Amino acid sequence: MDHIDPRFRELLRRQQGVVAWQQARRWLSEKEVRHRVDSGRWQRAHRGVYLAHDGPISEPQRWWVASLATGEGRPALLAGITALSLRGFRRPNAHGDGTIHVLVADGRVDRDVPPR
């Protein structure tokens, strides 16, 4: 296994293995990030957001993908029923349609919405 800075390892642990391009580039070269994706070690979850593994995506990882994608590389706040779910609130059919609620700046339009 290649050497990963402990601070980067901690970021990946805290963000459930989800990382934005801008975050990854603090510790890895562009070539290293692209190699991880091209080799299949990482997968692209959304424009500029990656899963640092090659397995299936969990619900908490989906929340991180939405947060990083709409926050333009920095975590955006989860909102509404999504935020309540994160805190353990459960309601039947609360996420039945796969919607993830995120707070974004007024006027910001996401032109590349993550798939459900």
Side-chain angles (χ1 to χ4, degrees):
M1 184 166 146
D2 54 349
H3 172 72
I4 297 178
D5 186 295
R7 295 169 295 176
F8 186 44
R9 190 179 306 279
E10 175 59 19
L11 175 77
L12 290 172
R13 185 199 63 74
R14 193 172 60 248
Q15 293 182 183
Q16 304 279 324
V18 180
V19 64
W21 169 261
Q22 297 91 326
Q23 293 173 319
R25 288 287 287 123
R26 289 184 196 143
W27 289 281
L28 303 172
S29 70
E30 180 176 338
K31 183 178 178 180
E32 289 172 310
V33 173
R34 293 195 189 286
H35 175 72
R36 281 171 165 76
V37 175
D38 292 345
S39 68
R41 290 175 52 204
W42 285 13
Q43 53 187 308
R44 182 180 184 265
H46 183 65
R47 178 180 28 98
V49 182
Y50 304 92
L51 292 172
H53 63 77
D54 61 356
I57 187 169
S58 68
E59 185 172 35
Q61 288 174 327
R62 289 182 62 245
W63 296 340
W64 273 109
V65 170
S67 174
L68 292 169
T70 57
E72 298 178 326
R74 294 184 323 207
L77 296 174
L78 296 178
I81 194 70
T82 306
L84 291 171
S85 294
L86 181 65
R87 302 302 295 171
F89 177 78
R90 297 289 179 240
R91 187 181 79 179
N93 300 319
H95 280 104
D97 65 356
T99 300
I100 298 174
H101 301 268
V102 182
L103 291 176
V104 295
D106 188 31
R108 172 147 167 19
V109 178
D110 188 2
R111 299 188 195 306
D112 189 14
V113 179
R116 293 181 188 205

